Protein backbone atom coordinates (compact mmCIF):
# COMPACT_ATOMS: atom_id res chain seq x y z
CA UNK A 1 0.00 0.00 0.00
CA UNK A 2 2.83 2.38 0.85
CA UNK A 3 4.50 1.73 -2.51
CA UNK A 4 1.20 2.37 -4.26
CA UNK A 5 0.76 5.65 -2.41
CA UNK A 6 4.29 6.74 -3.30
CA UNK A 7 3.71 5.81 -6.93
CA UNK A 8 0.44 7.77 -6.98
CA UNK A 9 2.19 10.70 -5.36
CA UNK A 10 4.77 10.61 -8.15
CA UNK A 11 2.02 10.80 -10.76
CA UNK A 12 0.40 13.69 -8.90
CA UNK A 13 3.71 15.56 -8.91
CA UNK A 14 4.09 14.91 -12.64
CA UNK A 15 0.54 16.14 -13.31
CA UNK A 16 1.19 19.26 -11.27
CA UNK A 17 4.38 19.86 -13.23
CA UNK A 18 2.51 19.55 -16.53
CA UNK A 19 -0.18 21.88 -15.22
CA UNK A 20 2.40 24.46 -14.26
CA UNK A 21 4.02 24.19 -17.67
CA UNK A 22 0.62 24.69 -19.25
CA UNK A 23 0.07 27.81 -17.19
CA UNK A 24 3.48 29.13 -18.16
CA UNK A 25 2.76 28.56 -21.84
CA UNK A 26 -0.21 30.93 -21.55
CA UNK A 27 1.89 33.87 -20.36
CA UNK A 28 1.31 37.17 -22.14
CA UNK A 29 4.95 38.19 -21.97
CA UNK A 30 8.40 36.73 -21.42
CA UNK A 31 11.40 38.68 -20.17
CA UNK A 32 15.01 37.87 -21.02
CA UNK A 33 18.08 39.59 -19.58
CA UNK A 34 21.04 40.07 -21.91
CA UNK A 35 24.42 40.62 -20.21
CA UNK A 36 27.89 40.53 -21.71
CA UNK A 37 31.51 41.00 -20.69
CA UNK A 38 30.38 40.46 -17.11
CA UNK A 39 33.50 39.30 -15.32
CA UNK A 40 34.65 41.04 -12.15
CA UNK A 41 37.99 42.71 -12.90
CA UNK A 42 38.68 43.24 -9.20
CA UNK A 43 38.45 39.54 -8.35
CA UNK A 44 41.80 37.84 -8.86
CA UNK A 45 40.70 34.23 -9.30
CA UNK A 46 38.68 34.91 -12.41
CA UNK A 47 35.63 32.87 -11.42
CA UNK A 48 33.08 35.54 -10.50
CA UNK A 49 30.76 37.95 -12.28
CA UNK A 50 30.41 41.59 -11.32
CA UNK A 51 29.00 41.66 -7.78
CA UNK A 52 26.12 43.88 -8.83
CA UNK A 53 24.78 41.11 -11.07
CA UNK A 54 24.56 38.84 -8.04
CA UNK A 55 22.22 41.40 -6.48
CA UNK A 56 19.77 41.59 -9.39
CA UNK A 57 16.43 39.89 -8.79
CA UNK A 58 16.98 37.18 -11.38
CA UNK A 59 13.61 35.60 -10.63
CA UNK A 60 12.09 38.37 -12.75
CA UNK A 61 13.33 36.74 -15.95
CA UNK A 62 12.24 33.76 -17.99
CA UNK A 63 15.76 33.22 -19.27
CA UNK A 64 19.18 34.80 -19.66
CA UNK A 65 21.06 35.64 -22.84
CA UNK A 66 24.73 35.60 -21.90
CA UNK A 67 26.88 37.46 -24.42
CA UNK A 68 30.22 35.91 -23.54
CA UNK A 69 33.24 36.71 -21.34
CA UNK A 70 31.03 35.87 -18.39
CA UNK A 71 33.96 35.25 -16.05
CA UNK A 72 37.61 36.09 -16.61
CA UNK A 73 38.45 32.36 -16.77
CA UNK A 74 35.05 30.75 -17.12
CA UNK A 75 36.09 27.22 -18.00
CA UNK A 76 39.28 26.97 -15.98
CA UNK A 77 37.52 25.08 -13.19
CA UNK A 78 34.23 23.13 -13.23
CA UNK A 79 32.99 24.84 -10.07
CA UNK A 80 32.78 28.13 -11.99
CA UNK A 81 30.10 26.66 -14.24
CA UNK A 82 28.20 25.47 -11.15
CA UNK A 83 28.35 29.01 -9.79
CA UNK A 84 27.01 30.38 -13.08
CA UNK A 85 24.32 27.73 -13.18
CA UNK A 86 23.12 28.84 -9.74
CA UNK A 87 22.84 32.40 -11.05
CA UNK A 88 21.54 31.92 -14.58
CA UNK A 89 19.89 28.50 -14.68
CA UNK A 90 22.03 27.35 -17.58
CA UNK A 91 19.83 24.40 -18.58
CA UNK A 92 16.74 26.56 -18.89
CA UNK A 93 15.73 26.25 -22.58
CA UNK A 94 15.43 30.06 -22.70
CA UNK A 95 18.93 30.66 -21.36
CA UNK A 96 21.57 30.98 -24.08
CA UNK A 97 25.28 31.11 -23.28
CA UNK A 98 27.39 32.59 -26.08
CA UNK A 99 31.07 31.69 -25.78
CA UNK A 100 33.46 34.64 -25.55
CA UNK A 101 37.23 34.38 -25.71
CA UNK A 102 37.44 34.32 -21.89
CA UNK A 103 35.01 31.39 -21.83
CA UNK A 104 36.78 29.54 -24.63
CA UNK A 105 40.47 30.03 -24.08
CA UNK A 106 41.15 27.43 -21.37
CA UNK A 107 40.13 24.59 -23.69
CA UNK A 108 37.78 22.97 -21.19
CA UNK A 109 34.57 23.15 -23.19
CA UNK A 110 33.39 19.90 -21.65
CA UNK A 111 32.54 21.97 -18.57
CA UNK A 112 30.39 24.22 -20.76
CA UNK A 113 28.70 21.32 -22.59
CA UNK A 114 27.91 19.53 -19.33
CA UNK A 115 26.56 22.65 -17.62
CA UNK A 116 24.39 23.86 -20.49
CA UNK A 117 23.42 20.53 -22.05
CA UNK A 118 23.84 22.14 -25.47
CA UNK A 119 26.47 22.56 -28.18
CA UNK A 120 28.46 25.76 -28.67
CA UNK A 121 26.35 26.82 -31.70
CA UNK A 122 22.71 26.00 -32.38
CA UNK A 123 19.35 27.40 -33.45
CA UNK A 124 16.38 27.43 -31.09
CA UNK A 125 12.70 28.36 -31.52
CA UNK A 126 10.36 29.70 -28.85
CA UNK A 127 6.87 30.99 -29.62
CA UNK A 128 7.30 33.46 -32.51
CA UNK A 129 11.03 33.85 -31.89
CA UNK A 130 13.98 32.07 -33.53
CA UNK A 131 17.45 32.43 -32.02
CA UNK A 132 20.81 31.36 -33.43
CA UNK A 133 23.67 31.16 -30.93
CA UNK A 134 27.06 31.56 -32.62
CA UNK A 135 30.54 30.61 -31.51
CA UNK A 136 32.68 33.40 -32.98
CA UNK A 137 35.83 31.78 -31.62
CA UNK A 138 35.61 29.27 -34.47
CA UNK A 139 37.96 29.89 -37.37
CA UNK A 140 39.40 28.05 -40.39
CA UNK A 141 41.59 25.92 -38.14
CA UNK A 142 38.36 23.98 -37.52
CA UNK A 143 36.64 23.93 -40.89
CA UNK A 144 34.24 21.17 -39.90
CA UNK A 145 32.57 23.24 -37.20
CA UNK A 146 32.98 26.60 -38.93
CA UNK A 147 31.24 25.27 -42.04
CA UNK A 148 28.55 23.56 -39.95
CA UNK A 149 27.81 26.81 -38.13
CA UNK A 150 27.59 28.66 -41.44
CA UNK A 151 25.18 26.10 -42.88
CA UNK A 152 23.09 26.32 -39.72
CA UNK A 153 22.61 30.08 -40.18
CA UNK A 154 21.85 29.73 -43.89
CA UNK A 155 19.31 27.00 -43.21
CA UNK A 156 17.62 29.12 -40.54
CA UNK A 157 17.36 32.07 -42.92
CA UNK A 158 16.01 29.87 -45.71
CA UNK A 159 13.42 28.00 -43.65
CA UNK A 160 11.96 30.53 -41.18
CA UNK A 161 8.31 31.00 -42.13
CA UNK A 162 6.10 31.48 -39.07
CA UNK A 163 8.42 33.47 -36.80
CA UNK A 164 8.16 37.22 -36.39
CA UNK A 165 11.74 37.71 -35.19
CA UNK A 166 15.15 36.18 -35.83
CA UNK A 167 17.89 36.98 -33.30
CA UNK A 168 21.58 36.18 -33.75
CA UNK A 169 23.54 36.15 -30.50
CA UNK A 170 27.33 36.48 -30.77
CA UNK A 171 30.30 37.64 -28.75
CA UNK A 172 32.67 39.25 -31.25
CA UNK A 173 31.65 41.77 -33.86
CA UNK A 174 32.24 39.79 -37.05
CA UNK A 175 30.86 42.34 -39.52
CA UNK A 176 31.74 45.73 -41.01
CA UNK A 177 31.03 47.79 -44.14
CA UNK A 178 27.27 47.59 -43.74
CA UNK A 179 25.45 50.77 -44.75
CA UNK A 180 23.85 52.57 -41.82
CA UNK A 181 25.90 51.10 -38.96
CA UNK A 182 29.24 52.83 -39.53
CA UNK A 183 29.33 54.14 -35.94
CA UNK A 184 28.32 50.88 -34.33
CA UNK A 185 30.68 50.23 -31.41
CA UNK A 186 32.00 47.14 -29.69
CA UNK A 187 35.34 46.26 -28.09
CA UNK A 188 36.88 45.18 -31.34
CA UNK A 189 35.91 44.32 -34.88
CA UNK A 190 37.05 41.07 -36.48
CA UNK A 191 37.66 42.68 -39.85
CA UNK A 192 38.44 39.48 -41.71
CA UNK A 193 36.33 36.90 -39.94
CA UNK A 194 35.60 34.00 -42.29
CA UNK A 195 32.11 32.54 -42.03
CA UNK A 196 33.19 29.36 -43.81
CA UNK A 197 36.18 27.66 -45.38
CA UNK A 198 34.85 27.68 -48.94
CA UNK A 199 36.32 31.00 -50.06
CA UNK A 200 38.82 33.61 -48.98
CA UNK A 201 36.19 36.36 -48.82
CA UNK A 202 33.38 34.56 -47.00
CA UNK A 203 32.84 37.61 -44.82
CA UNK A 204 29.58 38.23 -42.99
CA UNK A 205 28.58 41.15 -45.24
CA UNK A 206 28.96 38.96 -48.36
CA UNK A 207 27.52 35.66 -47.12
CA UNK A 208 25.17 36.03 -44.17
CA UNK A 209 23.97 39.61 -44.39
CA UNK A 210 22.19 39.21 -47.78
CA UNK A 211 20.31 36.26 -46.29
CA UNK A 212 19.21 38.45 -43.37
CA UNK A 213 18.03 41.15 -45.76
CA UNK A 214 15.98 38.56 -47.64
CA UNK A 215 14.47 37.47 -44.35
CA UNK A 216 13.63 41.06 -43.46
CA UNK A 217 11.94 41.50 -46.85
CA UNK A 218 9.80 38.44 -46.08
CA UNK A 219 8.46 40.23 -42.98
CA UNK A 220 10.75 38.79 -40.28
CA UNK A 221 12.46 41.32 -38.00
CA UNK A 222 16.18 40.61 -37.65
CA UNK A 223 18.23 41.61 -34.60
CA UNK A 224 21.96 40.97 -34.11
CA UNK A 225 23.26 41.22 -30.53
CA UNK A 226 26.98 41.51 -29.70
CA UNK A 227 28.30 40.91 -26.18
CA UNK A 228 31.94 42.04 -26.42
CA UNK A 229 31.20 45.63 -25.52
CA UNK A 230 32.37 46.46 -22.01
CA UNK A 231 34.11 49.72 -22.85
CA UNK A 232 31.35 51.27 -24.93
CA UNK A 233 28.44 50.10 -22.70
CA UNK A 234 25.92 49.87 -25.49
CA UNK A 235 25.36 50.63 -29.13
CA UNK A 236 22.27 50.52 -31.32
CA UNK A 237 22.15 50.97 -35.09
CA UNK A 238 19.86 49.99 -37.94
CA UNK A 239 21.19 49.23 -41.38
CA UNK A 240 19.76 50.82 -44.51
CA UNK A 241 17.93 47.56 -45.17
CA UNK A 242 16.34 47.55 -41.71
CA UNK A 243 18.45 44.94 -39.89
CA UNK A 244 19.00 46.03 -36.29
CA UNK A 245 22.38 45.76 -34.54
CA UNK A 246 22.72 45.93 -30.75
CA UNK A 247 25.75 45.71 -28.47
CA UNK A 248 25.88 45.60 -24.69
CA UNK A 249 28.49 44.86 -22.06
CA UNK A 250 29.84 45.98 -18.70
CA UNK A 251 33.29 46.70 -17.24
CA UNK A 252 33.06 49.37 -14.48
CA UNK A 253 34.79 46.96 -12.09
CA UNK A 254 37.98 47.43 -14.14
CA UNK A 255 38.42 50.85 -12.51
CA UNK A 256 38.08 49.68 -8.92
CA UNK A 257 41.19 50.74 -6.99
CA UNK A 258 42.43 52.93 -9.83
CA UNK A 259 42.94 56.69 -9.81
CA UNK A 260 39.61 57.57 -11.37
CA UNK A 261 36.46 59.22 -10.05
CA UNK A 262 33.11 57.47 -10.18
CA UNK A 263 31.44 60.54 -11.67
CA UNK A 264 33.75 60.37 -14.68
CA UNK A 265 32.76 56.82 -15.67
CA UNK A 266 30.09 55.81 -18.14
CA UNK A 267 27.65 53.58 -16.30
CA UNK A 268 27.36 49.91 -17.23
CA UNK A 269 24.25 48.85 -19.13
CA UNK A 270 22.40 45.64 -19.87
CA UNK A 271 19.47 44.88 -22.19
CA UNK A 272 16.05 43.58 -21.19
CA UNK A 273 14.14 41.89 -24.01
CA UNK A 274 10.38 41.38 -23.68
CA UNK A 275 8.53 38.97 -25.95
CA UNK A 276 4.78 39.36 -26.46
CA UNK A 277 3.78 36.17 -28.32
CA UNK A 278 0.15 37.08 -28.98
CA UNK A 279 1.08 40.44 -30.48
CA UNK A 280 4.20 38.94 -32.14
CA UNK A 281 6.32 41.74 -30.69
CA UNK A 282 9.87 41.68 -29.31
CA UNK A 283 10.72 44.86 -27.39
CA UNK A 284 14.02 45.73 -25.76
CA UNK A 285 15.45 48.47 -23.59
CA UNK A 286 18.86 49.38 -22.21
CA UNK A 287 18.95 49.62 -18.42
CA UNK A 288 21.80 50.75 -16.16
CA UNK A 289 23.10 47.84 -14.10
CA UNK A 290 23.12 49.89 -10.90
CA UNK A 291 19.46 50.71 -11.36
CA UNK A 292 18.64 47.06 -11.95
CA UNK A 293 20.62 45.86 -8.93
CA UNK A 294 19.42 48.74 -6.73
CA UNK A 295 23.01 49.67 -5.91
CA UNK A 296 24.25 53.21 -5.38
CA UNK A 297 27.06 53.57 -7.91
CA UNK A 298 29.26 55.85 -5.82
CA UNK A 299 28.98 53.66 -2.74
CA UNK A 300 29.63 50.51 -4.74
CA UNK A 301 32.66 52.03 -6.42
CA UNK A 302 34.23 53.17 -3.15
CA UNK A 303 33.45 50.00 -1.22
CA UNK A 304 36.48 48.12 0.03
CA UNK A 305 34.57 44.90 -0.59
CA UNK A 306 35.18 45.38 -4.30
CA UNK A 307 38.95 45.50 -4.06
CA UNK A 308 41.04 42.62 -5.42
CA UNK A 309 41.02 39.58 -3.15
Amino acid sequence: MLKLQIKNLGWIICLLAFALQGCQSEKDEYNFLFVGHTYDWSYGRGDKVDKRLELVNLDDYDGFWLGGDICASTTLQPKTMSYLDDLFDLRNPNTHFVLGNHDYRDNNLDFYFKATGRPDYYTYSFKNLVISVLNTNLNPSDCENLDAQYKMIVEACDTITNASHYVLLMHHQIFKNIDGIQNFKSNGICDHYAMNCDSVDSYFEFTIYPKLVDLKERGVEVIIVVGDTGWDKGSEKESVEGVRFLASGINNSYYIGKDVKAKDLKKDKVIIFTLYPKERILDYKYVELNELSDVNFNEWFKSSENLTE
Side-chain angles (χ1 to χ4, degrees), residues 139-305:
N139 58 66
S141 69
D142 184 0
C143 282
E144 180 180 359
N145 281 296
L146 185 64
D147 286 347
Q149 176 171 261
Y150 171 73
K151 291 175 182 176
M152 175 196 76
I153 303 168
V154 170
E155 182 177 353
C157 292
D158 287 345
T159 58
I160 290 175
T161 54
N162 297 321
S164 62
H165 290 77
Y166 180 42
V167 176
L168 287 88
L169 301 178
M170 63 184 69
H171 180 66
H172 303 93
Q173 181 178 336
I174 57 173
F175 48 83
K176 64 171 186 175
N177 297 331
I178 295 175
D179 286 344
I181 68 163
Q182 283 79 3
N183 294 321
F184 185 82
K185 292 182 178 180
S186 67
N187 283 358
I189 304 173
C190 300
D191 287 348
H192 304 291
Y193 185 84
M195 297 304 302
N196 61 54
C197 290
D198 290 340
S199 65
V200 295
D201 58 351
S202 62
Y203 304 140
F204 185 94
E205 52 267 30
F206 300 145
T207 57
I208 297 301
Y209 184 68
K211 292 283 186 180
L212 300 179
V213 173
D214 288 344
L215 201 55
K216 170 69 177 176
E217 291 175 349
R218 301 204 311 265
V220 179
E221 296 296 326
V222 180
I223 302 175
I224 295 169
V225 192
V226 176
D228 192 18
T229 320
W231 307 100
D232 294 300
K233 309 308 171 194
S235 191
E236 177 180 2
K237 295 291 178 181
E238 185 173 301
S239 72
V240 171
E241 291 82 6
V243 175
R244 188 161 292 274
F245 294 79
L246 308 179
S248 180
I250 66 175
N251 82 328
N252 283 160
S253 64
Y254 170 81
Y255 298 97
I256 295 293
K258 293 182 170 61
D259 187 19
V260 61
K261 296 180 180 179
K263 67 179 180 64
D264 295 329
L265 295 177
K266 292 190 293 185
K267 305 297 190 299
D268 284 333
K269 294 179 180 179
V270 300
I271 308 176
I272 298 175
F273 288 88
T274 303
L275 180 68
Y276 302 94
K278 293 179 181 178
E279 294 84 1
R280 297 173 64 80
I281 292 172
L282 179 64
D283 279 343
Y284 62 88
K285 62 180 178 180
Y286 284 86
V287 180
E288 287 192 5
L289 178 56
N290 283 85
E291 175 187 335
L292 202 64
S293 58
D294 196 25
V295 171
N296 179 281
F297 184 80
N298 291 330
E299 292 179 1
W300 168 80
F301 191 72
K302 293 177 182 177
S303 174
S304 60
E305 294 178 359

Side-chain angles (χ1 to χ4, degrees), residues 72-142:
S73 300
T74 307
T75 55
L76 185 61
Q77 302 180 65
K79 67 177 184 179
T80 307
M81 298 303 295
S82 297
Y83 158 76
L84 293 176
D85 187 32
D86 288 340
L87 281 176
F88 301 118
D89 189 14
L90 297 182
R91 283 184 173 262
N92 177 349
N94 284 311
T95 291
H96 305 292
F97 191 156
V98 177
L99 284 169
N101 47 291
H102 280 267
D103 315 307
Y104 190 80
R105 65 183 182 180
D106 290 308
N107 297 315
N108 293 320
L109 289 190
D110 284 347
F111 300 158
Y112 168 90
F113 296 141
K114 183 177 180 180
T116 64
R118 276 166 287 189
D120 49 327
Y121 57 91
Y122 59 89
T123 294
Y124 172 78
S125 298
F126 178 71
K127 304 296 182 182
N128 53 300
L129 176 66
V130 176
I131 296 175
S132 284
V133 172
L134 307 188
N135 179 1
T136 52
N137 298 281
L138 292 175
N139 58 66
S141 69
D142 184 0

